[in-house]
Amino acid sequence: MKIEITFLGTGSAIPTAKRNHTAILINYGAENILIDCGEGTQRQFKIAKLNPCKLTRILLTHWHADHALGIPGLLKTLDMSDYSKTLYIYGPKGTKEKIRLLEKIYGKFRINPEIHEVSSGILIDEKEFLIETKPVPHKMPTNAYALIIKDKLRLRKDILKKLKLPSSPLLGKLQQGKDVTFKGKKLKAKNMTYLQKGKKITFVLDSAMSNNSIKLAKNSDILICESSYSSKEEEKAREYCHLTAKQAATIAKKAKVKKLILTHLSHKNEHNTKLILDEAKKVFKATHVAKDFDKIIV
Ligand SMILES: [Zn+2]
Ligand SMILES: [Zn+2]
């Protein structure tokens, strides 16, 4: 099953004509997970021809406006669209109170959100994937998240065909790694299956340099990381607890990821994308800079 990632917003505190505030949508099977929801995210869904009613979960890294101002509008739209599923919302400490305050201002969201405040560890453990979080240093409680698609045993169709093994519960047992008996013959699961390696995608959106980002991103297939500033602005990055392109690339290198995608660019770097990319590439070659509506399939 493929993972489709759509960048709905790749700007930072101040949007530009080309970059909206931060939001990233992940589609994996029936799951549609939104990471952050800056102002205008619901219109970005429409422009990308995506349906917000298919959302299953929202992961908020933190409550700075450029990551969360789109929440009330999006929840109101779901409300008016008769969204009837449970919407799972995960965020750092204070998320429950913030949603309650939004309801106080804008009226009750007549959908059924289930809110979880998380700071460290595995927050979702489903059959095929899990999501892990670690706190990262920023101006307020902030989480980084990793989506981990689990390894899976796949059946070796060539051998099944050779043995003329029919479609039956035996196949399910083999896929669970259990040996089975077929026509009096013992079939070992390890000979009948192969391991399909899982995938890992890590999201670090708004953070100062931190070991937690390196730990969480360890061996990721893709690291999607904020890169608000260039190295010339390192002082500013430190002051506002953000990363430069070089620092983001250093995290990618130390975490031994396969690919780095930079996002959350400062509006001042709107025309400096090449500089940001070049700085990062000096440290970590497999770097790309995301644009709004970029789509990647993993
Ligand atoms: Zn931000
Ligand atoms: Zn922030």
Side-chain angles (χ1 to χ4, degrees):
M1 208 154 38
K2 64 184 183 358
I3 311 165
E4 192 175 285
I5 301 169
T6 309
F7 289 86
L8 293 173
T10 59
S12 62
I14 299 176
T16 68
K18 289 187 177 163
R19 292 184 187 273
N20 204 59
H21 296 296
T22 294
I24 301 168
L25 183 72
I26 305 156
N27 167 256
Y28 179 68
E31 292 281 348
N32 285 288
I33 304 167
L34 182 66
I35 302 195
D36 285 343
C37 186
E39 180 190 349
T41 294
Q42 56 167 331
R43 280 207 74 226
Q44 300 292 90
F45 267 90
K46 300 285 172 187
I47 296 166
K49 296 190 168 52
L50 294 165
N51 182 359
C53 290
K54 288 188 177 165
L55 270 181
T56 49
R57 306 172 200 261
I58 298 176
L59 305 179
L60 283 172
T61 58
H62 65 304
W63 277 88
H64 272 157
D66 56 324
H67 297 252
L69 215 53
I71 288 280
L74 176 66
L75 296 191
K76 278 287 168 191
T77 292
L78 296 182
D79 168 339
M80 286 185 281
S81 309
D82 297 322
Y83 181 91
S84 56
K85 298 184 285 257
T86 300
L87 179 66
Y88 298 91
I89 301 176
Y90 307 82
K93 195 171 184 298
T95 295
K96 285 181 185 170
E97 173 68 2
K98 298 270 197 322
I99 300 272
R100 200 187 63 75
L101 285 172
L102 288 175
E103 286 195 311
K104 217 169 167 184
I105 301 167
Y106 300 110
K108 196 112 184 99
F109 304 122
R110 288 170 305 146
I111 60 165
N112 187 23
E114 191 181 298
I115 303 159
H116 297 266
E117 293 185 350
V118 294
S119 61
S120 189
I122 291 165
L123 50 128
I124 300 165
D125 189 355
E126 296 283 334
K127 190 169 166 246
E128 301 215 345
F129 72 95
L130 51 87
I131 296 182
E132 192 183 346
T133 186
K134 277 193 192 297
V136 286
H138 195 45
K139 292 276 181 184
M140 60 164 67
T142 300
N143 294 335
Y145 295 102
L147 166 69
I148 298 155
I149 309 295
K150 295 176 183 177
D151 293 347
K152 200 173 177 182
L153 274 182
R154 309 282 297 185
L155 295 166
R156 287 191 53 182
K157 287 192 178 139
D158 53 334
I159 297 184
L160 295 185
K161 214 169 154 187
K162 220 161 128 188
L163 293 173
K164 294 192 172 69
L165 205 68
S167 179
S168 72
L170 289 181
L171 300 186
K173 283 194 176 157
L174 285 170
Q175 257 187 315
Q176 288 165 19
K178 291 175 188 161
D179 299 342
V180 298
T181 306
F182 176 63
K183 289 186 178 168
K185 202 175 158 197
K186 191 154 188 188
L187 304 176
K188 289 202 164 180
K190 67 170 186 185
N191 299 330
M192 306 287 294
T193 56
Y194 64 95
L195 191 71
Q196 187 181 67
K197 276 293 281 171
K199 296 264 159 57
K200 182 174 179 185
I201 302 157
T202 301
F203 303 83
V204 178
L205 300 169
D206 283 19
S207 171
M209 198 61 184
S210 145
N211 268 338
N212 267 3
S213 299
I214 299 167
K215 279 188 209 155
L216 189 69
K218 202 90 206 153
N219 299 324
S220 290
D221 292 273
I222 297 179
L223 166 63
I224 296 172
C225 190
E226 76 125 308
S227 170
S228 304
Y229 298 111
S230 70
S231 294
K232 276 187 279 177
E233 303 161 298
E234 199 176 332
E235 202 50 49
K236 209 180 243 180
R238 193 173 306 123
E239 186 185 342
Y240 295 111
C241 292
H242 279 295
L243 293 167
T244 64
K246 192 178 165 189
Q247 288 171 328
T250 304
I251 294 172
K253 191 179 175 185
K254 287 190 173 172
K256 296 187 168 61
V257 309
K258 287 189 186 139
K259 194 192 268 187
L260 169 67
I261 300 180
L262 301 176
T263 184
H264 195 278
L265 269 67
S266 159
H267 66 287
K268 289 188 179 154
N269 286 323
E270 174 79 346
H271 303 294
N272 285 341
T273 313
K274 195 177 174 305
L275 173 78
I276 294 278
L277 184 62
D278 289 348
E279 272 186 11
K281 277 192 163 181
K282 274 187 200 152
V283 179
F284 188 80
K285 214 167 170 6
T287 304
H288 304 263
V289 175
K291 301 189 299 295
D292 281 22
F293 307 114
D294 275 356
K295 233 181 232 297
I296 45 173
I297 311 264
V298 189

